[in-house]
Amino acid sequence: MTMDPIPLEDLALLDVLHRVFQCDDSVPIEPEMKQRLIESALVEETDDGLRLTDAGVAMCKSFRHRIEADKRAAMIIGQRG
């Protein structure tokens, strides 16, 4: 039994959303990516900069749950095999 890894695109999106949440401007978000995030309603632009929307927060939680579930599944598979 094998598990499909989380796609790199999803991990990159989680990283960008996390940087928005942390207000981390150390690595700027490219204008095209910023526009895509706004259009997909994951972030919104405010006077203070970018902010996660409720959908953005939900996506972060979903990714984190997936990562944790994958870790647990890998541990169980490792114990069995």
Side-chain angles (χ1 to χ4, degrees):
M1 173 185 244
T2 61
M3 297 180 332
D4 293 330
I6 297 175
L8 290 177
E9 295 83 16
D10 289 350
L11 292 175
L13 177 58
L14 176 59
D15 179 59
V16 171
L17 293 175
H18 184 73
R19 285 191 283 135
V20 169
F21 177 73
Q22 295 292 325
C23 301
D24 180 2
D25 296 329
S26 64
V27 179
I29 299 171
E30 294 180 21
E32 182 180 301
M33 172 61 88
K34 178 178 156 182
Q35 188 60 37
R36 287 176 55 199
L37 293 171
I38 291 170
E39 289 174 359
S40 59
L42 296 174
V43 301
E44 60 189 5
E45 201 159 14
T46 68
D47 292 337
D48 297 324
L50 293 179
R51 180 177 86 81
L52 289 181
T53 62
D54 290 342
V57 171
M59 181 163 281
C60 284
K61 287 180 181 179
S62 174
F63 283 147
R64 290 187 187 279
H65 288 293
R66 166 78 192 274
I67 290 168
E68 188 60 34
D70 285 358
K71 286 180 185 177
R72 288 183 188 159
M75 184 179 69
I76 291 169
I77 291 170
Q79 289 173 348
R80 290 182 182 170

